[in-house]
């Protein structure tokens, strides 16, 4: 079947187009008062904005270009308005007629040659322009929530086209934080600090193999290339509880040295309510009602500097620091019923209070060397990340029916993680239009954690060895990759191979001296094939075929056989026998003029490990287990109205079907389920000063760790008003207008049967004010003006 799948797609269109030397021919028309003009034409490569060549231009000029590439042409001359032209080369030479026009001080008279697409495809990467999303958002997290095609759940996990969460990166580097801490970090970033969102559903061999669910890369601005600029922002959101934030950012460029500094403060308050019914042997019911409130405060600082030492070498340093002071106050009531006699036989209550402080600091030192004008470059980066979390807990467990002595105690948790990462990537443009990409990466992560809990016996606190734990963990992953691309006979082919060596060692020091060691070397092939198919309704349809292998490694918390008590009837424990999960992905997608339209794919997952819930008796425990395999098939369709004068519209739907087979709790598992996801984005600008945005998603028959989710979704609306010559924006927004982002769930597996609902303070009304000051870079002076990107990976 796999061989047929490949052959059918490869020969879908049998007419091959011969490889040839292509040219772009420019003819200039003069509408100025000058009889003759001599200007400068600069051709940039996209998307990296490297200069390919610079030529003089008067009446006409031509450039040699490569097939199936994107370029940007800038033409300037004294006394004339700058001309920018986007050039998308297919399989033939192109001709452009452009016009010299007199330069004026009125920006409205600048001729817009091409419009910026909100969503476009570049090889195997989807790029979403963040500007229209940021204009209706208060922070980076909201921008991510509104990104078409990305679904963010209540825990902050992001899903693309798989049941496996995507890896979240900032400026091309993974942020190794848990979902809650990452959510806090993104909510502290101002929305207008984001240049674009890059979505890699099937990453190439250049990227870590541990990205089975894809990659979301948030690209931040790194400063501007002209003068000084900055912004100040503040906002207030009110639901049942409130959140407020404020901050600023500054950018400065002097003598080819660019610096940026930003600070944001967030004071947030949220809650979570969980109501569930759990059944034991179908004759006993555990009715749980839990309410937790999460007040907290966050400070975030970002500093960056880069220097252009010469025309070929740029070096830089980037630092991010985040500190969180959080609390949680939980109340948990459990009633136990005998369903045979319909009587209550038990009642318990618990109160748990936590106070935690976490600090995260990331340091990146990087250098980029431009080797030639064809786009060859060498990038190297060294990163140092430090994370520290300290938590103090107090708890009280009351046994009300049958009456028994209450139990109280406290706990102290101290966790530390240090991460060192070294990466080096080379792109080399070879003769005969071959492109070689190669490089390597080394990552070393060291974790230490101590959790000591004490029981109060009325006179003193005694160590509770059943809950206390102390461990150290080290993970080292080294990788090398090589991939080569070439366009010939109408096909662009990019095969690649990645090798990763994994060395993991973990030791539990208390209560038992245990250890685990994992040493393995794995290879991950990758193939990407692109081909123009045919024209339809004026759009060139392009087919893309992707094949890749990836891995999901269990982390130490999932491996550590430490028993963590959640409440009187529930605990969590790791599984030291866990094996890594391997995924083979096949995808075929079609684009219309670099806009993704249709995707069909298969994720073939072996040794799948997931969170499972087992109930051997009245005590339930959660753990991780390899349950077998899953064949996940997905189809994704998107469409819309491209950027115009007033209205932009995108919408899409995705269908996922999972077919599990294996063992769940030692019993045969044969489980099939399909789910639908719909997403939409609308932006209406009745004038230059007003913008209305509506966006949302809906998921039908969702599935998460074998919990079946009832229909869930969220619809957001915002109004953006520009003031003070567009320097100030006031945004009024309503998130989750109809309060539909509530998870109603059930699970019915051989060892567990339960149902319930879970929801947060997601419906909120907010007001955000943002003021921009200083000199804007030229590429930001108009919504549709396109220029080389200042930011980068």
């Amino acid at each position: 079947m796999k061989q047929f799948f490949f052959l059918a797609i490869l020969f879908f269109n049998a007419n091959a187009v011969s490889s040839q030397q292509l040219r772009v021919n420019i003819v200039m028309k003069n509408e100025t008062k000058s009889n003759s003009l001599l200007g400068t034409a600069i051709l940039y490569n996209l998307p990296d904005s490297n200069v390919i060549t610079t030529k003089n231009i008067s009446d006409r000029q031509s450039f040699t270009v490569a097939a199936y590439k994107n370029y940007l042409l800038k033409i300037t001359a004294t006394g004339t308005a700058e001309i920018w032209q986007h050039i998308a080369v297919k399989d033939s030479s192109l001709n452009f007629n452009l016009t010299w026009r007199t330069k004026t001080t009125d920006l409205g008279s600048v001729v817009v040659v091409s419009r910026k697409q909100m969503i476009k495809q570049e090889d195997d990467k989807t790029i979403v322009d963040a500007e229209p999303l940021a204009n209706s958002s208060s922070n980076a997290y909201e921008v991510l929530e509104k990104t078409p095609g990305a679904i963010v759940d209540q825990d902050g996990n992001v899903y693309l086209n798989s049941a496996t969460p995507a890896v979240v990166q900032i400026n091309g580097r993974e942020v190794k934080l848990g979902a809650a801490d990452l959510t806090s970090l993104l909510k502290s970033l101002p929305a207008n600090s984001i240049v674009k969102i890059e979505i890699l559903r099937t990453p190439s061999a250049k990227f870590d193999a541990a990205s089975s669910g894809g990659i979301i890369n948030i690209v931040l601005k790194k400063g501007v290339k002209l003068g000084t600029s900055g912004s100040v922002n503040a906002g207030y959101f009110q639901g049942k509880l409130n959140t407020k934030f404020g901050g600023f950012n500054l950018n400065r460029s002097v003598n080819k040295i660019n610096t940026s500094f930003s600070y944001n403060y967030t004071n947030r308050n949220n809650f979570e309510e969980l109501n569930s019914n759990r059944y034991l042997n179908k004759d006993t019911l555990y009715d749980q009602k839990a309410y937790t409130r999460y007040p907290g405060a966050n400070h975030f600082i970002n500093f960056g500097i880069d220097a252009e030492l010469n025309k070929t070498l740029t070096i830089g340093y980037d630092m991010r620091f985040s500190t969180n002071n959080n609390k949680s106050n939980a109340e948990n009531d459990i009633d136990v019923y005998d369903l045979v006699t319909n009587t209550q036989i038990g009642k318990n209550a618990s109160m748990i209070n936590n106070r935690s402080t976490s600090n995260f600091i990331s340091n990146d030192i990087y250098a980029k060397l431009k080797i030639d004008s064809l786009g060859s470059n060498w990038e190297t980066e060294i990163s140092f990340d430090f994370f520290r979390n300290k938590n103090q807990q107090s708890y009280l467990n009351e046994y009300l029916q049958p009456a028994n002595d209450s139990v109280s105690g406290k706990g102290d948790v101290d966790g530390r993680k240090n991460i060192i990462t070294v990466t080096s990537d080379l792109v080399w443009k070879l003769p005969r239009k071959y492109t070689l990409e190669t490089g390597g990466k080394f990552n070393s992560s060291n974790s230490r954690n101590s959790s000591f809990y004490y029981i109060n016996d009325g006179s003193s606190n005694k160590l509770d060895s059943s809950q206390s734990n102390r461990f150290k963990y080290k993970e080292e992953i080294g990788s090398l990759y090589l991939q080569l691309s070439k366009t010939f006979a109408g096909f662009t082919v990019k095969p690649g191979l990645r090798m990763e060596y994994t060395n993991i060692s973990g030791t539990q020091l208390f209560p038992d001296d245990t250890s685990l060691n994992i040493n393995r070397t794995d290879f991950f092939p990758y193939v990407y094939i692109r081909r123009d198919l045919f024209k339809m309704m004026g759009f060139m349809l392009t087919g893309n075929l992707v094949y890749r292998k990836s891995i999901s490694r269990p982390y130490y918390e999932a491996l550590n056989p430490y028993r963590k008590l959640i409440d009187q009837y529930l605990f969590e424990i790791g599984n030291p026998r866990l094996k890594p999960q391997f995924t083979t992905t096949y995808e075929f997608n079609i684009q219309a003029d670099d806009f993704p339209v249709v995707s069909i794919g298969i994720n073939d997952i072996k040794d799948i490990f997931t969170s499972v819930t087992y109930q051997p008796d009245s005590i339930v425990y959660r753990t991780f287990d390899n349950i077998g395999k899953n064949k996940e098939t997905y189809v994704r369709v998107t469409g819309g109205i491209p950027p115009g004068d007033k209205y932009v519209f995108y919408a899409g739907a995705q269908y996922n079907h999972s077919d599990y087979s294996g063992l769940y709790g030692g019993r045969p598992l044969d489980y099939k389920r399909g789910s639908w996801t719909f997403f939409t984005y609308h932006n209406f600008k009745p004038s230059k000063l007003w913008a209305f945005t509506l966006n949302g998603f809906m998921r039908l028959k969702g599935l998460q760790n074998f919990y079946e989710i009832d229909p869930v979704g969220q619809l957001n609306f915002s109004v953006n008003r520009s003031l003070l010559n567009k320097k100030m924006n006031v945004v009024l927004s309503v998130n989750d207008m109809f309060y539909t982002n509530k998870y109603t769930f059930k699970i019915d597996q051989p060892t567990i049967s339960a149902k319930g609902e879970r929801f947060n303070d997601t419906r909120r009304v907010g007001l955000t004010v943002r003021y921009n000051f200083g000199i804007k870079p030229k590429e930001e002076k108009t919504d549709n003006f396109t220029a080389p990107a200042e930011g980068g990976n």
Side-chain angles (χ1 to χ4, degrees), residues 69-354:
K69 288 286 188 179
N70 285 281
Y71 302 90
L72 186 66
L73 179 65
K74 175 185 177 181
I75 299 177
T76 59
T78 303
T80 67
E82 289 183 350
I83 300 173
W84 296 85
Q85 174 65 54
H86 176 255
I87 301 172
V89 183
K90 298 298 184 182
D91 55 5
S92 61
S93 296
L94 298 173
N95 300 311
F96 291 92
N97 295 315
L98 304 178
T99 303
W100 299 111
R101 287 186 171 87
T102 302
K103 183 177 182 179
T104 68
T105 57
D106 181 10
L107 186 62
S109 66
V110 175
V111 176
V112 177
V113 180
S114 61
R115 299 187 184 278
K116 184 191 299 183
Q117 287 182 267
M118 179 183 173
I119 300 178
K120 64 180 180 179
Q121 192 78 19
E122 291 183 359
D123 292 338
D124 52 357
K125 176 168 57 180
T126 302
I127 298 177
V128 180
D129 177 26
E131 181 182 349
L133 302 177
N135 287 339
S136 60
S137 303
S138 61
N139 54 59
Y141 185 81
E142 288 187 11
V143 173
L144 191 59
E145 282 187 311
K146 297 172 183 177
T147 300
I151 303 300
V152 183
D153 70 8
Q154 285 186 322
D155 296 317
N157 297 305
V158 185
Y159 297 90
L160 298 176
N161 47 304
S162 173
T164 303
V167 173
V168 177
Q169 297 181 342
I170 295 180
N171 286 346
R173 296 176 291 277
E174 181 181 356
V175 184
K176 293 182 178 294
L177 292 176
D181 291 323
L182 178 60
T183 297
S184 176
L185 176 62
L186 293 178
K187 287 183 177 179
S188 70
L189 288 173
N192 63 345
S193 66
I194 303 177
V195 177
K196 58 185 176 181
I197 303 289
E198 296 179 342
I199 300 175
L200 294 91
R201 291 185 168 86
T202 54
S204 71
K206 177 181 178 180
F207 299 92
D208 291 344
S211 54
S212 300
I215 295 174
I216 289 278
N217 183 28
I218 302 171
V219 182
L220 304 179
K221 296 178 182 178
K222 290 187 176 180
V224 299
K225 302 296 183 184
L226 180 66
T228 301
S229 67
S231 66
V232 179
N233 69 92
Y236 182 90
F237 280 73
Q238 181 67 54
K240 291 185 178 180
L241 304 174
N242 65 74
T243 292
K244 44 191 173 291
F245 61 88
F248 65 89
N249 72 82
L250 299 170
N251 303 282
R252 177 69 172 164
S253 178
V254 178
N255 298 327
K256 297 184 179 181
I257 297 178
N258 307 297
T259 57
S260 61
F261 179 83
S262 64
Y263 167 79
N264 272 270
Y265 170 75
T266 304
N267 187 303
R268 61 186 179 278
N269 211 333
N270 204 342
F271 73 86
E272 177 180 276
E273 187 168 333
L274 172 66
N275 303 310
S276 68
N277 293 323
R278 179 166 50 85
Y279 298 89
L280 176 64
N281 299 326
K282 297 184 179 181
D283 57 9
T284 305
L285 169 66
Y286 293 83
D287 182 12
Q288 179 184 19
K289 292 179 172 59
Y291 178 87
T292 307
R293 185 170 173 176
Y294 299 96
N298 167 269
H299 298 268
F300 177 78
I301 296 174
N302 190 175
F303 170 76
I305 181 171
D306 67 79
E308 186 178 333
L309 301 184
N310 51 53
K311 292 183 179 181
T312 61
L313 180 60
T314 301
I315 61 174
Y317 168 74
D318 191 55
M319 183 276 292
R320 294 184 295 272
F321 173 75
S322 176
T323 180
N324 292 274
N325 295 290
N326 300 320
K327 298 179 182 178
S328 69
N329 305 300
E331 298 177 0
N332 186 15
D333 296 324
I334 299 177
D335 296 327
V336 185
Y337 295 92
D338 186 330
L339 298 180
V340 177
T341 61
N342 198 27
T343 57
Q344 184 171 350
I345 58 176
K347 183 177 182 62
N348 305 291
S350 64
M351 290 174 285
I352 304 173
N353 298 313
N354 290 283

Side-chain angles (χ1 to χ4, degrees), residues 321-324 357-361 386-389:
F321 173 75
S322 176
T323 180
N324 292 274
T357 301
S358 62
N359 297 305
F360 172 75
I361 182 169
F386 307 95
F387 181 76
R388 177 88 182 266
N389 179 68

